[in-house]
Amino acid sequence: MSRPNASNEPQAAEADASSRSSRGLSRDLGAERAAARARLRAVARARRRYGRLLLALPLLLVVIVDVRIRGDRLLDLSGKHAASYLGAMAESAALWGLLLFAASARRGAARWVAALLFVLLATLSLGGQLYFHRQYATYLNLDATLFGTSLSASLFGQLRADGENFLRSVLPPLLLATALVWLGRRVVRPGRTAWARAARLAAPAGVVAAFVLPCSYRAVQASTPDVIYFHAIGGLIKELVGVQTTAQVRPGLRTPPALPPVAPAPGPRRNVLFILTESVRADATCSARARADVDGADGAPGACPGTPRIDAAAPDRLPLTQMRSNASTTAIGLSVLWSGLQPIATREELHTAPLVFDYADAAGFDSAYWTSHHMMFANSRLYVQDLPVSHQCGATELDPLADIDLGADDRLLSAHVRSELPSLREPFLAVAHFGNTHVPYLVDPAEAPFQPALESKAPDDNDAYHNYYRNAVYRQDAAIAELIRFVRSSPVGERTVIVFTSDHGEAFREHGQLGHTGSILEEEIRVPGWVDAPPGTLTAEEEGALRAARDEPVFHTDVAPTLLDLMGLWDEPALAGYRAAMVGHSLLRPSPGPAALALTNCTGIWGCAFKNWGMMRGNMKLESRAWDTAWRCYDVLADPREQRDLGPAACGDLPRLADAIYGGPAGSVDVPVHLRDLAARPRRD
């Protein structure tokens, strides 16, 4: 028997060891591969899990922001409004989820389109809503965008002026949306499955649907802020391309009746100069004379800090310290002041009713209407273009380059009125309408006593912004005072009665909102008022009635009757039918008692961006805004800041009357009915 070669034994052992090593290495590699596959599966599971969470994160952030901004209002949602909000959440989740999913793709140009849309829409919808809410205490909705088409130049001008605060609002959503896309591409990483391809293709359809699908109950804003925004912009696009959504409501051409010639009643011979200003709230000026030896005057003793020159120019004026507008919108205010009708009159009634100019013309008075307002602002030129006046001017006659918001310089208006007033034939009715106290406010830095003052509308700068407004009132004070002094020193001055008020007030976040048209709360409707009558221009009874009205609630619905009475026309039988449509009373006569009067910024002559309604009788005010589900009641004399809601029952029958006019509290109906038949209007008791 032969033996193995001894020299081959080490080689065999080495081969055997190598084989065992190879088998061990193979097992190790297999284990490592298995572990790697397990890790990949775990990562894939984690990505799916966290990817789903990431896709849901935009909705979560939207709701968190909304709760922080208006959590109290969301808690009040119930029934159909709560269901509407849940539907909006589903719409929001679908839109942002689909866009982020498509933006997270691993490759392809489509992912960049999706990413751009995601970031852009998130920035505008959330950042824009943050900015808008900080200004107006409500979100931008379809009503506001349609309203804005009447004021596009004005709105863009204001946005340019407040661009820094707008950027502060949109920057956080921009950065956050960009970060979500970055995370999506690392966490979501959609695969190539049929479902993933379908989801990516659905993203553009989701964007289109967001702008097209209706957002229910927009007045109550029972939707997430992003959905409200998309519905608003979608409606605006429809409007601009000719698919009408909601008719714009703005002043149109008047067609008043031909009045019969009338003769003023016997009485004192007097002219009337009606000085009207813009956005001046009651506490920005002094209705009553501020005297050093009397405490309790408007402002500190011995001072009228807001309008000291008017205070000195009309020292013997008869104040109306509780004067209120029936709306906080200029176009509505003018229609009420000049026609005597309530703002709830129909559009046809507001465009066919005679104005004080028509009555003056019928009585043989010379007339004039001078204003520093820009007549292209909301197309208001149509409403005044056919006034029966011998003298008329607007901003562009004073300054061809006049700003559409501010109009022409009020000093130019004052000079123009002073140049033309002597040419008016007596008796006359003249209206001088000043406008530089409209936002963005015209201020003279050399004469700006209220400091610190800033143009910034940021909430943290609210007090400084209020001071900026007060400086605009202070600047206007000089122009109006110069006109008053001129009248009093002219030959017609001893026969001219001056009536003064503002079209509405201005809010500085007392109840959240900024500016005007946002509510009928005191900061927006309580305005200055006074009558300055030289000796002999009023009878003893007329002066006594004005003095008795000093601290009684009076309204702009009382102004037209008072102007007619000053012209000797209030008792004219031929005007009885027109007089019957007026619910106000002449302030030259004893008050017949408080009337139930409508207050609203949503009328037949002017649409409202922010729906609000209410009523007043005497010192009791009932009010509601779009998001309220019940009427609120305030005693404005006992609680001038309107901090204590007394409940609807405290306002007596006002809720019942308001329900008949408006269809219920703002949030209780989908489309509040604000224009009713004349028979449904509140009348005097």
Side-chain angles (χ1 to χ4, degrees), residues 131 134-136 158 161-162 165 437-443 450-473 506-509 513-516:
Y131 175 78
R134 287 168 181 167
Q135 307 304 314
Y136 304 111
Q158 293 183 39
D162 200 41
N165 288 318
T437 42
H438 188 279
V439 65
Y441 316 131
L442 184 57
V443 170
F450 300 102
Q451 297 296 332
L454 294 172
E455 292 183 75
S456 169
K457 296 181 181 179
D460 292 343
D461 297 327
N462 191 65
D463 290 342
Y465 186 56
H466 190 181
N467 280 340
Y468 190 80
Y469 158 82
R470 296 175 71 192
N471 287 331
V473 176
E506 194 84 335
F508 290 92
R509 293 191 173 91
Q513 74 278 9
L514 193 64
H516 55 272

Coordinates of all heavy atoms in Angstrom, one line a residue, residues 131 134-136 158 161-162 165 437-443 450-473 506-509 513-516:
Y131 N -50.4 88.5 7.5 CA -50.3 90.0 7.3 C -51.7 90.6 7.4 O -51.9 91.6 8.1 CB -49.6 90.3 6.0 CG -49.6 91.8 5.7 CD1 -48.7 92.6 6.3 CD2 -50.5 92.3 4.8 CE1 -48.7 94.0 6.1 CE2 -50.5 93.7 4.5 CZ -49.6 94.5 5.2 OH -49.6 95.9 4.9
R134 N -53.3 90.6 10.9 CA -52.7 91.6 11.8 C -53.2 93.0 11.5 O -53.2 93.9 12.4 CB -51.1 91.6 11.6 CG -50.5 90.4 12.2 CD -49.0 90.2 11.8 NE -48.5 89.0 12.4 CZ -47.3 88.5 12.0 NH1 -46.6 89.0 11.0 NH2 -46.9 87.4 12.6
Q135 N -53.7 93.3 10.3 CA -54.2 94.6 10.0 C -55.7 94.7 10.3 O -56.2 95.7 10.8 CB -54.0 94.9 8.5 CG -52.6 94.7 8.0 CD -51.6 95.6 8.7 OE1 -51.8 96.7 9.0 NE2 -50.5 95.0 9.1
Y136 N -56.5 93.7 10.0 CA -57.9 93.8 10.0 C -58.6 92.8 11.0 O -59.9 92.8 11.0 CB -58.5 93.6 8.6 CG -57.9 94.6 7.6 CD1 -57.0 94.1 6.7 CD2 -58.1 96.0 7.7 CE1 -56.4 95.1 5.8 CE2 -57.5 96.8 6.9 CZ -56.7 96.4 5.9 OH -56.1 97.3 5.0
Q158 N -50.7 101.1 -0.6 CA -50.6 100.9 0.8 C -49.6 99.7 1.1 O -48.9 99.7 2.0 CB -51.9 100.6 1.4 CG -52.9 101.8 1.4 CD -54.2 101.5 2.1 OE1 -54.3 100.8 3.1 NE2 -55.3 102.0 1.5
A161 N -46.2 100.9 0.8 CA -45.8 101.7 2.0 C -45.5 100.8 3.2 O -44.8 101.2 4.1 CB -46.9 102.7 2.3
D162 N -46.1 99.6 3.3 CA -46.0 98.8 4.4 C -45.3 97.5 4.1 O -45.5 96.4 4.7 CB -47.4 98.5 5.0 CG -47.3 98.0 6.5 OD1 -46.5 98.6 7.2 OD2 -48.0 97.1 6.8
N165 N -43.4 95.2 6.8 CA -44.2 94.3 7.6 C -44.8 93.2 6.8 O -45.0 92.1 7.4 CB -45.4 95.1 8.3 CG -44.9 96.1 9.3 OD1 -44.0 95.7 10.2 ND2 -45.4 97.3 9.4
T437 N -56.6 113.1 5.8 CA -56.5 112.3 6.9 C -56.9 110.8 6.6 O -57.1 110.0 7.5 CB -57.4 112.8 8.1 OG1 -58.6 113.3 7.5 CG2 -56.7 114.0 8.8
H438 N -57.1 110.6 5.3 CA -57.3 109.2 4.8 C -56.0 108.5 4.8 O -54.9 109.1 4.5 CB -57.9 109.2 3.4 CG -58.4 107.9 3.0 ND1 -57.5 106.9 2.4 CD2 -59.6 107.3 2.9 CE1 -58.2 105.9 2.1 NE2 -59.5 106.0 2.4
V439 N -56.0 107.2 5.2 CA -54.8 106.4 5.1 C -54.2 106.5 3.7 O -55.0 106.5 2.7 CB -55.1 104.9 5.5 CG1 -56.0 104.2 4.5 CG2 -53.8 104.1 5.7
P440 N -52.9 106.7 3.5 CA -51.8 106.5 4.4 C -51.5 107.8 5.2 O -50.4 107.8 5.8 CB -50.6 106.1 3.5 CG -50.9 106.8 2.2 CD -52.4 106.8 2.1
Y441 N -52.3 108.8 5.2 CA -52.2 110.0 6.0 C -51.0 110.9 5.5 O -49.9 110.5 5.3 CB -51.9 109.7 7.5 CG -52.8 108.6 8.1 CD1 -52.3 107.6 8.8 CD2 -54.2 108.6 7.9 CE1 -53.1 106.6 9.3 CE2 -55.0 107.6 8.4 CZ -54.4 106.6 9.1 OH -55.2 105.6 9.6
L442 N -51.4 112.2 5.4 CA -50.4 113.2 5.0 C -49.9 114.0 6.2 O -50.7 114.6 6.9 CB -51.0 114.2 4.0 CG -50.0 115.2 3.4 CD1 -48.8 114.5 2.7 CD2 -50.8 116.1 2.4
V443 N -48.6 113.9 6.5 CA -48.0 114.4 7.7 C -46.9 115.4 7.3 O -46.1 115.2 6.3 CB -47.4 113.3 8.6 CG1 -46.5 113.8 9.7 CG2 -48.5 112.4 9.1
F450 N -47.0 114.8 17.9 CA -47.3 113.5 18.6 C -46.2 112.5 18.3 O -46.1 112.1 17.1 CB -48.7 113.0 18.2 CG -49.8 113.9 18.5 CD1 -50.4 114.7 17.5 CD2 -50.3 114.0 19.8 CE1 -51.4 115.6 17.8 CE2 -51.3 114.9 20.1 CZ -51.9 115.7 19.1
Q451 N -45.4 112.2 19.3 CA -44.2 111.3 19.1 C -44.2 110.3 20.2 O -44.7 110.5 21.3 CB -43.0 112.2 19.1 CG -42.9 113.2 18.0 CD -42.8 112.5 16.6 OE1 -42.3 111.4 16.5 NE2 -43.3 113.2 15.6
P452 N -43.6 109.1 20.0 CA -43.0 108.7 18.7 C -44.0 108.4 17.6 O -45.1 107.9 18.0 CB -42.2 107.5 19.1 CG -43.0 106.9 20.2 CD -43.5 108.1 21.0
A453 N -43.7 108.7 16.4 CA -44.7 108.4 15.3 C -44.0 107.6 14.2 O -42.9 107.9 13.8 CB -45.1 109.8 14.7
L454 N -44.7 106.6 13.7 CA -44.1 105.7 12.7 C -45.2 105.4 11.7 O -46.4 105.3 12.0 CB -43.6 104.4 13.3 CG -42.4 104.4 14.3 CD1 -42.2 103.1 14.9 CD2 -41.2 104.9 13.5
E455 N -44.8 105.2 10.4 CA -45.7 104.7 9.4 C -46.0 103.2 9.5 O -46.9 102.7 8.8 CB -45.2 105.1 8.0 CG -45.2 106.6 7.7 CD -44.7 106.8 6.3 OE1 -45.5 106.6 5.4 OE2 -43.5 107.2 6.1
S456 N -45.3 102.5 10.3 CA -45.4 101.1 10.3 C -46.7 100.7 10.9 O -47.2 101.2 11.9 CB -44.3 100.5 11.2 OG -44.5 99.1 11.5
K457 N -47.4 99.7 10.2 CA -48.6 99.1 10.7 C -48.5 97.9 11.6 O -49.4 97.2 11.9 CB -49.5 98.8 9.5 CG -49.9 100.0 8.7 CD -50.8 99.5 7.5 CE -51.3 100.7 6.7 NZ -52.1 100.3 5.5
A458 N -47.3 97.6 11.9 CA -47.0 96.4 12.7 C -47.7 96.5 14.1 O -47.8 97.6 14.7 CB -45.5 96.2 13.0
P459 N -48.3 95.4 14.6 CA -49.0 95.5 15.9 C -48.1 96.1 17.0 O -48.6 96.8 17.8 CB -49.3 94.0 16.2 CG -49.4 93.4 14.8 CD -48.4 94.1 14.0
D460 N -46.8 95.8 17.0 CA -46.0 96.3 18.1 C -45.8 97.8 17.9 O -45.4 98.5 18.9 CB -44.6 95.7 18.0 CG -44.7 94.2 18.5 OD1 -45.7 93.8 19.1 OD2 -43.7 93.4 18.2
D461 N -46.1 98.4 16.8 CA -45.9 99.8 16.5 C -47.2 100.6 16.5 O -47.3 101.7 16.0 CB -45.2 100.1 15.2 CG -43.8 99.5 15.1 OD1 -43.1 99.5 16.2 OD2 -43.4 99.0 14.0
N462 N -48.3 99.9 17.1 CA -49.6 100.5 17.0 C -49.7 101.9 17.6 O -50.3 102.8 17.0 CB -50.6 99.6 17.7 CG -52.0 99.9 17.4 OD1 -52.5 99.9 16.3 ND2 -52.7 100.4 18.5
D463 N -49.1 102.1 18.8 CA -49.2 103.4 19.4 C -48.5 104.5 18.5 O -49.0 105.6 18.4 CB -48.6 103.4 20.8 CG -49.5 102.6 21.8 OD1 -50.7 102.4 21.4 OD2 -49.0 102.2 22.8
A464 N -47.4 104.1 18.0 CA -46.6 105.1 17.1 C -47.4 105.3 15.8 O -47.4 106.5 15.3 CB -45.2 104.5 16.9
Y465 N -48.0 104.3 15.3 CA -48.8 104.5 14.1 C -50.1 105.4 14.4 O -50.4 106.3 13.6 CB -49.3 103.2 13.6 CG -50.0 103.2 12.2 CD1 -49.4 103.8 11.1 CD2 -51.3 102.7 12.1 CE1 -50.1 103.9 9.9 CE2 -51.9 102.7 10.9 CZ -51.3 103.3 9.8 OH -51.9 103.4 8.6
H466 N -50.6 105.2 15.6 CA -51.7 106.1 16.0 C -51.3 107.6 16.1 O -52.0 108.5 15.6 CB -52.3 105.6 17.3 CG -53.6 106.3 17.7 ND1 -54.2 106.0 18.9 CD2 -54.3 107.3 17.1 CE1 -55.3 106.8 19.0 NE2 -55.4 107.5 17.9
N467 N -50.1 107.8 16.6 CA -49.5 109.1 16.6 C -49.3 109.7 15.2 O -49.5 110.9 15.0 CB -48.2 109.1 17.4 CG -48.4 109.1 18.9 OD1 -49.5 109.4 19.4 ND2 -47.4 108.6 19.6
Y468 N -48.9 108.8 14.3 CA -48.7 109.3 12.9 C -50.0 109.8 12.4 O -50.0 110.9 11.7 CB -48.2 108.1 12.1 CG -47.7 108.5 10.7 CD1 -46.4 109.1 10.5 CD2 -48.5 108.3 9.6 CE1 -46.0 109.5 9.3 CE2 -48.1 108.7 8.3 CZ -46.8 109.3 8.2 OH -46.4 109.6 6.9
Y469 N -51.1 109.1 12.6 CA -52.4 109.6 12.2 C -52.8 110.9 12.9 O -53.3 111.8 12.2 CB -53.4 108.5 12.6 CG -54.8 108.9 12.7 CD1 -55.7 109.1 11.6 CD2 -55.4 109.2 14.0 CE1 -57.0 109.5 11.7 CE2 -56.7 109.6 14.1 CZ -57.5 109.7 13.0 OH -58.8 110.1 13.1
R470 N -52.5 111.0 14.2 CA -52.8 112.2 14.9 C -52.1 113.4 14.3 O -52.6 114.5 14.3 CB -52.6 112.1 16.4 CG -53.4 111.0 17.1 CD -53.0 110.8 18.5 NE -53.4 111.9 19.3 CZ -53.0 112.1 20.6 NH1 -52.1 111.2 21.1 NH2 -53.3 113.1 21.3
N471 N -50.8 113.2 13.9 CA -50.1 114.2 13.2 C -50.7 114.7 11.9 O -50.6 115.8 11.5 CB -48.6 113.8 13.0 CG -47.8 113.7 14.3 OD1 -48.1 114.5 15.2 ND2 -46.9 112.8 14.4
A472 N -51.3 113.7 11.2 CA -52.0 114.1 10.0 C -53.3 115.0 10.3 O -53.5 115.9 9.6 CB -52.5 112.8 9.2
V473 N -54.0 114.6 11.3 CA -55.1 115.5 11.8 C -54.6 116.9 12.1 O -55.2 117.9 11.8 CB -55.9 114.8 12.9 CG1 -57.0 115.7 13.5 CG2 -56.4 113.4 12.5
E506 N -61.8 106.1 12.8 CA -60.6 105.3 12.4 C -60.2 104.4 13.5 O -60.2 104.9 14.7 CB -59.4 106.2 12.0 CG -58.3 105.5 11.2 CD -58.6 105.4 9.7 OE1 -59.8 105.4 9.3 OE2 -57.6 105.3 9.0
A507 N -60.0 103.1 13.3 CA -59.7 102.2 14.3 C -58.2 102.0 14.4 O -57.5 102.0 13.4 CB -60.3 100.8 14.0
F508 N -57.7 101.8 15.6 CA -56.3 101.5 15.9 C -56.2 100.3 16.8 O -55.7 100.4 17.9 CB -55.5 102.7 16.4 CG -55.4 103.7 15.4 CD1 -56.3 104.7 15.2 CD2 -54.3 103.7 14.5 CE1 -56.1 105.7 14.2 CE2 -54.1 104.6 13.5 CZ -55.1 105.7 13.4
R509 N -56.9 99.2 16.4 CA -56.8 97.9 17.1 C -57.6 97.9 18.4 O -57.2 97.0 19.3 CB -55.4 97.4 17.2 CG -54.8 97.0 15.8 CD -53.4 96.3 16.0 NE -52.9 95.8 14.7 CZ -52.1 96.5 14.0 NH1 -51.7 97.7 14.4 NH2 -51.6 96.0 12.8
Q513 N -59.2 95.5 14.7 CA -59.1 95.9 13.3 C -58.4 97.3 13.2 O -58.3 98.0 14.2 CB -60.5 96.0 12.7 CG -61.3 97.2 13.1 CD -62.1 97.0 14.4 OE1 -61.8 96.0 15.1 NE2 -62.9 97.9 14.8
L514 N -57.9 97.5 12.0 CA -57.1 98.8 11.8 C -57.8 99.5 10.6 O -58.2 98.9 9.7 CB -55.7 98.4 11.4 CG -54.6 99.5 11.4 CD1 -54.4 100.1 12.8 CD2 -53.3 98.9 10.8
G515 N -57.9 100.8 10.7 CA -58.4 101.6 9.7 C -59.9 101.7 9.8 O -60.5 101.9 10.9
H516 N -60.7 101.7 8.7 CA -62.1 101.8 8.7 C -62.8 100.9 7.7 O -62.1 100.2 7.0 CB -62.6 103.2 8.5 CG -62.0 103.8 7.2 ND1 -60.8 104.5 7.1 CD2 -62.6 103.8 5.9 CE1 -60.6 104.9 5.8 NE2 -61.7 104.5 5.1

